[in-house]
């Protein structure tokens, strides 16, 4: 069993920045990929960004390209999401996910999930 613990959410004004962190509990586990998804009130959970653990290749949802950066620290088994130029429409609960996936943006491919962290962007 892999536990994912997220941190770094909060309230920020539009145009501001936040950095989310997600630490995996088992150092012996090297997932194929780790990712961030988000769910806004009244909406379905959606893909934000993912990173392939072995080589660091990244994937982004179109609306966050150029503003968000996903990265990993293999030694700490931790993935980060640096969010810049935040917009009110980025407001959501952000979830970290890990697993051995076929499609990086498909949440059904991820076996492990964090508890979520709230990000609120005020206008």
């Amino acid at each position: 069993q892999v536990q994912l613990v997220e941190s770094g959410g909060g309230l920020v004004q539009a145009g501001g920045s936040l950095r989310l962190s997600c630490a995996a509990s088992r150092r012996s586990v090297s997932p194929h990929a780790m990712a961030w998804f988000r769910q806004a009130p009244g909406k379905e959970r959606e893909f934000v960004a993912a990173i392939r653990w072995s080589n660091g290749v990244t994937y982004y949802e179109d609306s966050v390209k150029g503003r968000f950066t996903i990265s990993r620290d293999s030694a700490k088994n931790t993935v980060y999401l640096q969010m810049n130029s935040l917009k009110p429409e980025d407001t959501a609960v952000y979830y970290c996910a890990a697993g051995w996936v076929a499609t990086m943006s498909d949440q059904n491919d991820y076996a492990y999930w964090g508890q979520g962290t709230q990000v609120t962007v005020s206008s």
Side-chain angles (χ1 to χ4, degrees):
Q1 184 73 16
V2 176
Q3 290 186 327
L4 303 177
V5 179
E6 299 130 332
S7 60
L11 173 65
V12 64
Q13 289 188 331
S17 298
L18 283 174
R19 189 176 83 152
L20 306 182
S21 300
C22 174
S25 62
R26 286 179 55 186
R27 290 182 178 272
S28 62
V29 174
S30 295
H32 175 234
M34 291 187 72
W36 290 95
F37 290 79
R38 66 185 179 186
Q39 187 167 21
K43 296 186 177 181
E44 295 186 352
R45 189 160 57 187
E46 65 175 4
F47 171 74
V48 176
I51 187 165
R52 194 178 298 276
W53 203 256
S54 59
N55 57 15
V57 174
T58 57
Y59 305 80
Y60 296 95
E61 193 269 330
D62 286 345
S63 69
V64 307
K65 286 180 180 177
R67 300 189 299 123
F68 291 10
T69 302
I70 189 171
S71 61
R72 78 204 188 305
D73 184 331
S74 300
K76 296 182 179 179
N77 247 25
T78 298
V79 66
Y80 304 98
L81 185 68
Q82 178 66 44
M83 304 185 293
N84 298 329
S85 302
L86 282 161
K87 304 175 181 179
E89 51 263 44
D90 295 318
T91 295
V93 177
Y94 283 71
Y95 296 91
C96 176
W100 292 263
V101 306
T103 303
M104 302 295 269
S105 60
D106 187 346
Q107 59 182 303
N108 295 313
D109 281 1
Y110 290 85
Y112 304 105
W113 290 85
Q115 79 286 355
T117 185
Q118 177 70 47
V119 171
T120 302
V121 184
S122 63
S123 56

